[in-house]
């Protein structure tokens, strides 16, 4: 439905499937004098911009001053919003399932004019094809480049070349999405022991333990499934970083704690996006208490830090002292 005003009179025109227009009332020229014709879309003065996954939001206006009663009036609609297009490339572009732009989640207008922003927030963009996303947004005089685009919930710091958003203008942002796993990341040693500051990666299924006995290594889990009596143990006052990437990973103990963090050691679980999930499970096979992440059945555990990642952790025990995260029984963490 399109609003049209001729002089002081207004009508609503509905666009039909056959591309004809039907009006709710007839507009007449009141005299032979020139008049102003204004048209706008949508007819509602409040426009939601928040979720454009099923289609783009629009505000359009046509303005014809000095229209003549005896000449056809051509309504040239002009966009009152700006368009942001994001194009993705790189080895991990296919892993992106949600792109957002930081603008305003709603706006108001008066007959397609005076676009006024509502509440600031993230707008879910429309997926045009496998690597292209778009959204129409409120024009602004400045943006924050390092908090303007989010991929899978994580802000991208390398947006450049854009400082303002003007109406009826499209801004294309090209982003390269490569794996977060460093090129020097290596497979876990055959004996499962790590005591250096290197980068390591686990992909797919692993049925043997990983023991971090020193220094500060980083282990990337890319859709990994680790299952063993003690899948991961951190000892020797070391600091181990577990980085979850590529979707979902699981660490499952067959007879104890899923991730043991001994006293004096540190475990950091992180990711580039909270859309990445790790599930950690302890397993009671001997009438004891085994956390998902924490100490073993008879000892304090060290420091555990979780940031920017989704963790599901489950303990299993006999005495109801097997937390998902933390120590068992009366021990500290």
């Amino acid at each position: 439905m399109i609003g049209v005003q001729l002089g002081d009179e207004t009508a609503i025109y509905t666009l039909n499937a056959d591309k004809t227009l039907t009006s709710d009332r007839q507009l007449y020229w009141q005299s032979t004098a020139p008049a102003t014709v204004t048209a706008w879309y949508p007819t509602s003065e409040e426009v939601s911009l928040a979720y454009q996954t099923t289609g783009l939001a629009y505000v359009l206006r046509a303005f014809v001053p000095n229209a003549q009663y005896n000449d056809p009036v051509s309504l040239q609609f002009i966009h009152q919003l700006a368009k942001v297009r994001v194009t993705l490339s790189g080895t991990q572009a296919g892993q992106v399932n949600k792109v957002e732009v930081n603008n305003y989640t709603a706006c108001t207008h008066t007959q397609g004019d005076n676009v006024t922003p509502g509440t600031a927030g993230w707008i879910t963009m429309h997926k045009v094809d496998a690597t292209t996303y778009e959204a129409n947004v409120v024009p602004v005089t400045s943006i924050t480049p390092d908090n303007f685009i989010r991929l899978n919930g994580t802000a991208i710091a390398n947006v450049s070349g854009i400082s303002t958003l003007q109406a009826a203008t499209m801004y294309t942002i090209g982003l390269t999405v490569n794996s977060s796993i460093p090129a020097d990341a290596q497979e876990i040693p055959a004996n499962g022991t790590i005591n250096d500051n290197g980068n390591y990666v686990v992909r797919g299924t692993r049925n043997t333990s990983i023991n971090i006995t020193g220094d500060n290594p980083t282990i990337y889990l890319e859709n990994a499934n680790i299952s063993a009596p003690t899948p991961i143990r951190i000892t020797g006052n070391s600091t181990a970083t577990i980085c979850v990437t590529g979707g979902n990973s699981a660490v499952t103990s067959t007879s104890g704690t899923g991730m043991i963090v001994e006293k004096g050691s540190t475990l950091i679980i992180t990711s580039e996006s909270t859309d990445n999930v790790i599930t950690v499970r302890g397993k009671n096979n001997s009438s004891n208490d085994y956390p998902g992440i924490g100490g073993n059945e008879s000892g304090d555990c060290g420091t555990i830090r979780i940031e920017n990642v989704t963790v599901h952790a489950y303990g299993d025990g006999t005495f109801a002292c097997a937390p998902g995260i933390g120590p068992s029984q009366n021990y500290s963490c």
Side-chain angles (χ1 to χ4, degrees):
M1 293 187 294
I2 301 167
V4 179
Q5 181 171 341
L6 169 60
D8 295 328
E9 301 295 323
T10 300
I12 302 298
Y13 284 77
T14 299
L15 180 64
N16 302 311
D18 62 359
K19 300 182 182 180
T20 60
L21 290 168
T22 303
S23 63
D24 63 343
R25 55 171 299 196
Q26 183 64 52
L27 294 180
Y28 294 98
W29 292 83
Q30 302 300 313
S31 72
T32 59
T36 297
V37 178
T38 305
W40 61 92
Y41 172 86
T43 55
S44 171
E45 292 187 347
E46 296 185 2
V47 180
S48 175
L49 305 173
Y51 299 99
Q52 300 188 34
T53 52
T54 58
L56 300 181
Y58 291 93
V59 178
L60 306 172
R61 182 173 188 254
F63 180 74
V64 183
N66 299 316
Q68 304 295 321
Y69 81 97
N70 56 349
D71 289 330
V73 178
S74 178
L75 298 174
Q76 300 293 330
F77 286 91
I78 297 175
H79 289 279
Q80 303 299 292
L81 300 178
K83 175 179 283 189
V84 176
R85 172 180 289 172
V86 175
T87 59
L88 305 177
S89 61
T91 59
Q92 296 297 302
Q95 298 294 330
V96 177
N97 52 44
K98 185 177 184 180
V99 181
E100 299 165 283
V101 57
N102 195 0
N103 188 254
Y104 295 93
T105 56
C107 69
T108 60
H109 67 95
T110 303
Q111 295 185 349
D113 198 10
N114 299 319
V115 174
T116 302
T119 303
W122 291 96
I123 296 171
T124 304
M125 303 181 75
H126 176 65
K127 187 174 184 178
V128 179
D129 56 39
T131 59
T132 306
Y133 292 78
E134 292 181 346
N136 288 338
V137 300
V138 175
V140 294
T141 57
S142 65
I143 67 166
T144 304
D146 60 355
N147 196 40
F148 186 58
I149 299 294
R150 287 198 313 202
L151 305 182
N152 291 347
T154 300
I156 301 301
N158 60 346
V159 174
S160 60
I162 298 176
S163 58
T164 64
L165 298 174
Q166 297 181 3
T169 303
M170 184 172 75
Y171 300 85
T172 300
I173 301 169
L175 297 176
T176 302
V177 188
N178 289 320
S179 174
S180 61
I181 301 175
D184 65 350
Q186 53 192 306
E187 301 294 328
I188 305 292
N191 62 8
T193 299
I194 299 173
N195 55 9
D196 57 30
N197 294 324
N199 293 313
Y200 295 88
V201 61
V202 180
R203 298 183 176 94
T205 300
R206 179 184 174 89
N207 295 318
T208 55
S209 300
I210 299 173
N211 297 302
I212 296 97
T213 61
D215 284 332
N216 307 306
T218 298
I219 301 173
Y220 293 85
L221 303 185
E222 185 176 56
N223 292 317
N225 190 346
I226 305 172
S227 179
T230 303
I232 296 177
R233 180 189 291 269
I234 303 165
T235 65
N237 298 320
S238 57
T239 296
T241 298
I242 304 294
C243 185
V244 185
T245 186
N248 298 332
S249 289
V251 175
T252 306
S253 172
T254 57
S255 61
T257 299
M259 292 183 179
I260 293 179
V261 188
E262 291 194 356
K263 185 177 181 179
S265 296
T266 298
L267 168 65
I268 301 170
I269 305 178
T270 187
S271 177
E272 71 273 14
S273 169
T274 55
D275 288 337
N276 290 321
V277 179
I278 183 169
T279 301
V280 187
R281 295 182 181 272
K283 179 63 176 177
N284 169 32
N285 277 343
S286 57
S287 299
N288 284 311
D289 294 317
Y290 294 99
I293 305 170
N296 56 27
E297 76 281 3
S298 59
D300 296 340
C301 66
T303 298
I304 301 168
R305 190 169 89 220
I306 296 171
E307 56 189 24
N308 200 49
V309 64
T310 299
V311 175
H312 301 294
Y314 303 87
D316 186 27
T318 301
F319 307 104
C321 299
I325 302 174
S328 63
Q329 301 179 40
N330 296 320
Y331 299 98
S332 63
C333 177

